[in-house]
């Protein structure tokens, strides 16, 4: 790609007294292909695909097979051109810079026909999943995807401004380290003072500085008086996200004033790796502000193949859905992109912790000097840009590259392995790690994910088994074993990737498909599935516990199959996540103390089958509604072991609470419970997972009259003074496909409006598993969905994301339960 800028020397003659000016080159540019046969206008920031679409030259890139049809766009060379007049006189400025915040990816930059620069790294200031993954299409975009402008200045210019709050344990006080990088173009030293003010912390400090000509760094150390109460930043569900407004004013010689404003958050983060009684290996968990936190959440991928489509509204919608589902963590996966500033600002605001990978994934990378220089610039820039965000709690060098190397994914000969290990250590340890240690002392660093953490270090930076249950984090996928059997899951220290696929809803697929595509075995369905064997794996896993759709109507079968894949995914991830949560406080067979569960993946990049819980555009799948419950701060978890039924209580709370557990047994054939048992009051300790109830299944069934495994189901919840403290959870005593007495449920809804919220009053004629409420393409979410309906009536709320009406909801509303496909 070429960037061709032509400066017209018809300049404004008026003088200026400003010490710094900026002229944006955003807006309309001209784009042409390699041989000049195609020329069109295009917006910057933007990309070629978006420009072609906006001019009506291509369809929606996600429609049907357009990821194949439009490969020619990526295979061609493109030139972005712009002619412009600068509204100031260049000769009056000591330095004039062309700033390109993001160029995708390999380009040559010409200014007035003179080559002034080249780029080869979109993660620097001037993506690998663009070339497809098993959840996304191949759209290697080209374009100027971030801001472009001309900056002119005299005396000096502030290039970077970053800071880190540091807590001094010995003095029990907070300090703030501020780092500012200047380009001093004056031939003489520039003196002045810096005033740092944080009004709500009654802090104002003044410093004298003198900047010598050239590139200069100013480091300031701000002490916050221990007599001032500093409110800390907490993850969602653990406290407030308190921040303080700070201004830093540089008053310099020549009347030059430079002011920066920022929000400062104070928090500490520790990665605890220490021996555990009764278990070999080491722990792997995080303390925030000294408090152990179980990390609950998912893995983030780019929200779109085309970054110019990722709006502020979309980011807020997706991240709000994270906290609405009781999550507190996202892992920004190393095969995507370093997200835009607004992403991290929203995570700060919402209390979402970020596990930040550097952008290296599932590959063996070179270590020639040119590549290392590019990586050095990339990593140093990203550390400066991001380290002030409290939401980021850890840096990770890469995604799965240690495991790929040591498990020999790429069939390296034994004799060549030392060469690759040396290259691995050179890149991630001697390069990236050293840059992190030098640039950011406020959070931990690990070389990879999965990794054995401290054990990996002890083994020379690569472990023989990076996926060990006794150290660090694990990635776990198993599509063949029965996901309802919790014994197949690793009782690891931390699960940072795991999951199952499902298809997105029909209303999402309908926008990018045609009638002939609406079959599970259509060419479209096979093409959209990028995970080898994925469609068969979904049906296999679903068929273990559910009857597969048998309708004679092909469209009905397709819709029912989509529904069933979402049921399967939600139930599988629920079982696995609840296993990790209840394993947080115990050691069984020397394994346990699991302190994190981040399922793969949160969001979709296009409309296709994937592991995501949020569809492209943000619609909640059944899994996301389940996550709202299985990530609840207080949760009862039921499971069987050796024909005994257990219920654990899991608490993320900081305090102890007195409560009771209610256990009910229902038959599939009646809306009245067969029996109910309420425990004595007990105290649930904060931050623990303990066994609250156990009973042999045979005794449970005998106590409840004529119950059998096939005819009954168990539900249970925690409460205090008749007030529900937890979601109502459930346990199937047999596979639903073996259920006796389950009959077709007739479910009706009366919709009313209360302000901006809509109320759905539901009534059912029979017990209904996995009740799914759908309003098509109307943006919004329900208060609950995919639930087991064991009572005749239930009230559910709908929160629209855009203005809608009761009439629109009534016309779009459809309800499905498992009984509709049996």
């Amino acid at each position: 790609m070429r960037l061709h800028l032509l400066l017209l020397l018809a300049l404004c003659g008026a003088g200026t007294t400003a010490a710094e000016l900026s002229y944006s080159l955003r807006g309309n540019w001209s784009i042409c292909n390699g041989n000049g046969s195609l020329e069109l206008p295009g917006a910057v920031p933007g990309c070629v695909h978006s420009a072609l679409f906006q001019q009506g030259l291509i369809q929606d890139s996600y429609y049907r097979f357009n990821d194949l049809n439009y490969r020619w766009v990526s295979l061609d060379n493109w030139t972005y051109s712009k002619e412009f007049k600068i509204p100031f006189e260049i000769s009056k400025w000591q330095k004039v810079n062309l700033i390109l915040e993001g160029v995708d990816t390999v380009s040559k930059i010409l200014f007035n026909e003179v080559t002034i620069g080249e780029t080869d790294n979109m993660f620097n200031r001037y993506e690998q999943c663009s070339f497809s993954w098993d959840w996304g299409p191949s759209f290697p975009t080209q374009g100027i995807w971030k801001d472009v402008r001309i900056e002119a200045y005299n005396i000096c210019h502030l290039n970077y401004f970053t800071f880190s709050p540091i807590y001094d344990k010995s003095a029990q006080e907070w300090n703030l380290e501020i780092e500012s990088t200047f380009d001093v173009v004056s031939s003489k030293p520039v003196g002045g003072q810096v005033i740092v003010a944080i009004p709500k912390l009654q802090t104002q400090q003044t410093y004298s500085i003198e900047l010598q000509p050239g590139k200069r760094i100013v480091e300031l150390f701000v002490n916050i008086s221990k007599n001032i109460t500093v409110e800390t930043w907490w993850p969602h569900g653990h406290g407030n996200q308190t921040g303080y407004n700070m201004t830093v004013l540089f008053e310099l010689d020549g009347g030059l004033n430079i002011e920066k404003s920022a929000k400062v958050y104070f928090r500490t983060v520790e990665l605890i790796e220490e021996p555990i009684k009764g278990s070999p290996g080491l722990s792997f968990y995080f303390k925030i502000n000294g408090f152990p936190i179980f990390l609950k959440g998912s893995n983030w991928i780019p929200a779109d193949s085309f970054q110019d489509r990722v709006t502020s509204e979309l980011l807020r919608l997706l991240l709000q859905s994270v906290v609405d589902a009781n999550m507190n963590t996202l892992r920004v996966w190393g095969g995507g992109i370093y997200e835009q500033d607004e992403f991290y600002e929203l995570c700060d605001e919402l209390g979402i912790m970020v596990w930040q990978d550097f952008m290296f994934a599932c590959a063996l990378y070179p270590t020639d000097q040119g590549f290392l220089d590019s990586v050095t610039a990339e990593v140093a820039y990203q550390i400066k840009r991001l380290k002030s965000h409290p939401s980021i709690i850890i840096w990770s060098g890469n995604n799965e590259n240690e495991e790929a190397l040591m498990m020999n994914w790429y069939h390296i000969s034994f004799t060549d392995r030392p060469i690759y290990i040396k290259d691995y250590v050179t890149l991630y340890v001697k390069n990236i790690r050293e840059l992190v240690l030098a640039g950011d002392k406020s959070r931990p660093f690990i070389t990879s994910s999965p990794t054995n953490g401290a054990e990996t270090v002890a083994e020379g930076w690569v472990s023989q088994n990076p996926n060990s249950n006794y150290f660090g984090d694990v990635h776990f996928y198993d599509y063949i074993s029965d996901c309802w059997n919790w014994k197949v899951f690793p009782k690891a220290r931390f699960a940072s990737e795991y999951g199952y696929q499902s298809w997105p809803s029909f209303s999402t697929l309908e926008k990018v498909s045609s009638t002939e595509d609406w079959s599970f075995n259509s060419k479209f369905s096979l093409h959209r599935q990028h995970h080898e064997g994925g469609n068969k794996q979904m049906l296999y896993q679903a068929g273990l516990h559910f009857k597969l759709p048998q309708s004679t109507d092909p469209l009905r079968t397709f819709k029912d199959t989509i529904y069933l894949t979402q049921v399967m995914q939600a139930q599988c991830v629920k079982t696995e996540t609840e296993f990790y949560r209840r394993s947080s406080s115990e050691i069984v067979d020397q394994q346990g103390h699991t302190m994190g569960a981040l399922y793969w993946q949160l969001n979709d990049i296009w409309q296709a089958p994937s592991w995501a819980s949020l569809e492209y555009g943000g619609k909640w799948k059944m899994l996301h509604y389940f996550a709202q419950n299985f990530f609840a701060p207080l949760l009862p978890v039921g499971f069987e072991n050796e024909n005994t039924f257990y219920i654990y209580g899991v608490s993320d709370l900081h305090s102890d609470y007195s409560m009771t557990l209610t256990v009910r047994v229902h038959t599939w054939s009646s809306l009245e419970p067969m029996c109910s048992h309420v425990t004595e009051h007990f105290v649930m300790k904060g931050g623990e997972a303990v066994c609250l109830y156990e009973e042999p299944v045979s005794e449970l069934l005998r106590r409840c009259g004529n119950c059998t495994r096939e005819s009954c189901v168990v539900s249970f919840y925690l409460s205090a003074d008749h007030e529900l403290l937890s979601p109502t959870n459930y346990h199937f005593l047999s596979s639903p496909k073996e259920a006796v007495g389950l009959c077709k449920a007739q479910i009706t809804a009366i919709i009313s409006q209360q302000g901006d919220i809509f109320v759905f009053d539901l009534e059912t004629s029979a017990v209904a598993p996995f009740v799914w409420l759908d309003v098509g393409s109307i943006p919004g979410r329900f208060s609950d969905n995919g639930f087991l309906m064991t009572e005749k009536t239930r009230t559910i709320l709908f929160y629209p994301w855009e203005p809608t009406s009761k009439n629109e909801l009534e016309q779009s509303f459809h309800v499905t339960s498992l009984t509709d496909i049996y």
Side-chain angles (χ1 to χ4, degrees):
M1 189 180 77
R2 286 162 51 113
L3 307 182
H4 189 179
L5 300 101
L6 180 62
L7 173 63
L8 302 179
L9 297 176
L11 303 172
C12 297
T16 177
T17 58
E20 182 174 312
L21 285 175
S22 179
Y23 178 63
S24 176
L25 296 179
R26 280 173 167 254
N28 294 324
W29 286 57
S30 176
I31 305 175
C32 71
N33 67 339
N35 63 14
S37 62
L38 183 59
E39 187 169 353
L40 66 150
V44 169
C47 70
V48 175
H49 287 84
S50 296
L52 291 167
F53 177 72
Q54 288 158 6
Q55 295 302 312
L57 298 174
I58 62 173
Q59 297 174 300
D60 180 354
S61 295
Y62 290 156
Y63 183 70
R64 301 195 76 210
F65 305 98
N66 282 344
D67 57 322
L68 299 181
N69 298 335
Y70 297 154
R71 282 182 176 175
W72 62 269
V73 178
S74 302
L75 295 174
D76 207 339
N77 292 321
W78 296 88
T79 298
Y80 273 70
S81 301
K82 188 177 185 69
E83 295 183 357
F84 59 95
K85 298 178 181 179
I86 298 180
F88 52 83
E89 193 168 337
I90 290 179
S91 62
K92 292 188 176 181
W93 298 91
Q94 290 173 280
K95 196 156 192 179
V96 180
N97 290 331
L98 173 65
I99 306 294
L100 293 140
E101 293 284 353
V103 178
D104 185 3
T105 289
V106 180
S107 75
K108 179 181 290 187
I109 303 165
L110 293 86
F111 195 90
N112 287 350
E113 307 297 343
V114 177
T115 299
I116 62 171
E118 296 181 354
T119 68
D120 64 357
N121 185 339
M122 75 177 290
F123 302 132
N124 231 326
R125 186 175 167 177
Y126 30 121
E127 84 203 73
Q128 50 209 73
C129 69
S130 300
F131 293 87
S132 185
W133 217 274
D134 52 7
W135 39 257
S138 175
F139 282 110
T141 52
Q142 299 182 59
I144 307 172
W145 69 298
K146 290 187 179 180
D147 191 33
V148 55
R149 65 189 181 276
I150 289 178
E151 290 181 346
Y153 49 91
N154 293 324
I155 307 176
C156 69
H157 175 71
L158 178 61
N159 288 335
Y160 293 105
F161 171 82
T162 189
F163 54 88
S164 296
I166 304 293
Y167 185 69
D168 186 332
K169 284 186 176 180
S170 59
Q172 295 187 329
E173 63 185 13
W174 285 97
N175 299 295
L176 193 62
E177 296 179 354
I178 302 175
E179 181 180 303
S180 306
T181 305
F182 286 89
D183 180 16
V184 182
V185 295
S186 170
S187 60
K188 299 178 181 179
V190 179
Q193 65 177 11
V194 188
I195 304 170
V196 179
I198 310 176
K200 287 197 174 180
L201 293 180
Q202 302 174 34
T203 298
Q204 180 165 315
Q205 297 177 21
T206 303
Y207 307 81
S208 296
I209 62 171
E210 184 174 83
L211 302 174
Q212 298 296 325
K215 304 291 184 182
R216 293 291 175 256
I217 297 175
V218 174
E219 295 178 333
L220 305 175
F221 190 80
V222 182
N223 175 258
I224 310 297
S225 171
K226 65 172 61 178
N227 296 324
I228 303 297
T229 300
V230 177
E231 294 186 24
T232 50
W233 179 95
W234 286 95
H236 174 69
H238 290 272
N240 297 326
Q241 292 75 51
T242 303
Y244 297 90
N245 293 326
M246 174 180 70
T247 60
V248 180
L249 175 62
F250 297 88
E251 295 180 338
L252 303 176
D253 294 346
L256 175 58
N257 288 346
I258 301 174
E259 184 173 272
K260 296 294 292 186
S261 298
K263 181 152 282 190
V264 182
Y265 300 87
F266 296 86
R267 67 101 184 89
T268 62
V269 56
E270 302 167 84
L271 175 57
I272 307 299
E273 297 179 88
E274 61 188 12
I276 300 173
K277 185 179 180 180
S279 175
L282 300 171
S283 65
F284 190 90
Y285 69 94
F286 292 86
K287 281 185 177 180
I288 305 297
N289 303 323
F291 188 85
I293 303 282
F294 188 103
L295 271 58
K296 307 179 298 185
S298 189
N299 285 259
W300 173 274
I301 66 168
D304 205 298
S305 296
F306 310 102
Q307 283 298 301
D308 52 315
R309 291 186 183 179
V310 181
T311 63
S312 300
E313 292 74 20
L314 177 59
L315 280 178
R316 181 168 285 278
L317 172 65
L318 295 175
L319 294 177
Q320 185 63 51
S321 292
V322 170
V323 296
D324 286 345
N326 287 312
M327 300 181 190
N328 60 27
T329 306
L330 287 178
R331 174 173 172 250
V332 177
W333 167 73
I337 62 170
Y338 302 99
E339 278 297 333
Q340 56 186 278
D341 292 342
E342 189 170 7
F343 171 89
Y344 300 99
E345 290 165 1
L346 285 168
C347 288
D348 295 343
E349 174 190 325
L350 295 171
I352 301 171
M353 293 180 285
V354 173
W355 172 312
Q356 179 67 55
D357 281 1
F358 287 101
M359 293 300 119
F360 304 86
C362 301
L364 302 177
Y365 290 81
T367 56
D368 59 90
Q369 195 57 50
F371 186 76
L372 290 178
D373 289 345
S374 179
V375 169
T376 295
E378 168 190 330
V379 171
Y381 168 65
Q382 296 299 341
I383 291 171
K384 286 179 181 178
R385 182 174 75 95
L386 299 177
K387 74 174 186 177
S388 63
H389 292 284
S391 53
I392 300 176
I393 62 166
I394 189 171
W395 300 105
S396 175
N398 65 70
N399 171 75
E400 297 184 344
N401 291 352
E402 181 185 350
E403 182 177 24
L405 179 59
M406 300 310 290
M407 298 294 104
N408 206 15
W409 291 3
Y410 306 118
H411 311 293
I412 300 167
S413 68
F414 181 78
T415 55
D416 289 339
R417 180 179 287 191
I419 298 173
Y420 288 90
I421 291 176
K422 180 181 177 183
D423 284 349
Y424 180 92
V425 173
T426 296
L427 179 58
Y428 300 111
V429 180
K430 296 181 179 179
N431 190 286
I432 294 176
R433 178 176 178 270
E434 290 302 314
L435 288 164
V436 173
L437 294 180
D440 182 15
K441 300 178 178 63
S442 65
R443 52 181 61 85
F445 170 84
I446 54 175
T447 50
S448 186
S449 175
T451 186
N452 288 348
E455 175 63 16
T456 288
V457 177
E459 291 185 41
W461 300 105
V462 288
S463 286
Q464 291 302 310
N465 176 20
N467 238 338
S468 170
N469 288 349
Y470 300 104
F471 303 94
D473 65 319
V474 302
H475 295 184
F476 178 81
Y477 296 95
D478 181 352
Y479 310 113
I480 303 303
S481 301
D482 182 358
C483 76
W484 286 31
N485 176 13
W486 57 267
K487 294 183 180 181
V488 307
F489 306 129
K491 206 171 182 72
R493 305 300 193 214
F494 194 110
S496 53
E497 273 195 34
Y498 60 95
Y500 296 84
Q501 280 198 323
S502 72
W503 275 78
S505 62
F506 181 75
S507 62
T508 294
L509 288 171
E510 190 176 19
K511 300 170 186 175
V512 292
S513 59
S514 63
T515 307
E516 65 197 270
D517 301 326
W518 298 340
S519 157
F520 204 67
N521 293 313
S522 69
K523 184 179 177 182
F524 171 83
S525 294
L526 295 174
H527 171 69
R528 219 69 173 184
Q529 174 60 268
H530 284 197
H531 171 58
E532 185 177 2
N535 288 350
K536 290 182 180 179
Q537 289 170 355
M538 281 186 272
L539 293 183
Y540 170 78
Q541 194 65 237
L544 293 176
H545 297 284
F546 304 100
K547 297 175 184 177
L548 299 182
Q550 299 293 329
S551 173
T552 56
D553 177 0
L555 180 57
R556 180 74 264 155
T557 297
F558 185 50
K559 291 181 176 180
D560 287 347
T561 303
I562 289 172
Y563 162 80
L564 201 58
T565 67
Q566 291 209 15
V567 171
M568 175 276 297
Q569 179 196 37
Q571 188 67 18
C572 287
V573 178
K574 171 185 186 290
T575 304
E576 187 166 356
T577 306
E578 290 182 346
F579 168 73
Y580 294 139
R581 291 199 69 191
R582 67 177 170 85
S583 298
S584 63
S585 300
E586 68 179 12
I587 294 293
V588 178
D589 296 330
Q590 297 188 321
Q591 297 182 357
H593 276 216
T594 308
M595 284 297 287
L598 309 179
Y599 66 78
W600 183 269
Q601 68 206 66
L602 178 75
N603 54 310
D604 263 334
I605 200 169
W606 72 329
Q607 306 91 334
S610 78
W611 294 257
S613 61
L614 295 177
E615 298 177 6
Y616 179 76
K619 184 174 182 177
W620 288 28
K621 285 184 180 178
M622 192 178 295
L623 170 56
H624 210 78
Y625 287 102
F626 274 41
Q628 183 177 229
N629 290 330
F630 63 60
F631 280 145
L634 196 59
L635 180 70
V637 175
F639 66 98
E640 287 184 45
N641 189 23
E642 304 297 333
N643 291 313
T644 297
F645 177 54
Y646 297 86
I647 299 177
Y648 272 42
V650 180
S651 172
D652 283 338
L653 305 175
H654 290 218
S655 302
D656 302 344
Y657 286 91
S658 176
M659 62 191 71
T660 59
L661 169 70
T662 300
V663 183
R664 289 178 175 173
V665 178
H666 314 258
T667 64
W668 291 119
S669 58
S670 173
L671 290 168
E672 295 296 327
M674 283 289 289
C675 63
S676 181
H677 171 73
V678 181
T679 67
E680 297 291 328
H681 279 81
F682 60 89
V683 174
M684 184 72 215
K685 292 187 175 181
E688 290 195 1
V690 295
C691 184
L692 304 177
Y693 174 94
E694 64 177 282
E695 185 175 13
V697 174
S698 57
E699 287 297 311
L700 178 68
L701 297 175
R702 182 192 59 76
R703 184 166 54 81
C704 291
N706 296 321
C707 260
T708 66
R709 279 186 173 274
E710 293 74 23
S711 66
C712 291
V713 63
V714 185
S715 70
F716 40 94
Y717 58 86
L718 300 169
S719 62
D721 299 326
H722 305 290
E723 181 180 346
L724 200 63
L725 297 180
S726 75
T728 298
N729 210 339
Y730 55 85
H731 175 72
F732 293 108
L733 295 168
S734 70
S735 296
K737 69 180 182 181
E738 299 167 350
V740 173
L742 190 63
C743 57
K744 184 173 177 59
Q746 302 294 333
I747 303 174
T748 59
I750 297 175
I751 304 174
S752 58
Q753 187 170 1
Q754 295 180 359
D756 295 331
I757 299 172
F758 293 86
V759 180
F760 285 65
D761 288 311
L762 306 177
E763 184 171 320
T764 183
S765 63
V767 173
F770 304 106
V771 175
W772 181 247
L773 312 179
D774 190 61
V775 289
S777 296
I778 296 177
R781 71 170 182 87
F782 290 94
S783 56
D784 197 8
N785 215 342
F787 47 82
L788 172 65
M789 195 166 180
T790 57
E791 298 178 337
K792 187 175 182 62
T793 61
R794 183 164 182 171
T795 298
I796 300 292
L797 305 179
F798 179 74
Y799 304 96
W801 294 331
E802 296 176 3
T804 189
S805 67
K806 174 185 171 185
N807 183 55
E808 289 176 308
L809 287 172
E810 288 175 336
Q811 291 179 352
S812 302
F813 177 68
H814 181 75
V815 60
T816 304
S817 79
L818 195 63
T819 66
D820 292 314
I821 63 173
Y822 277 17

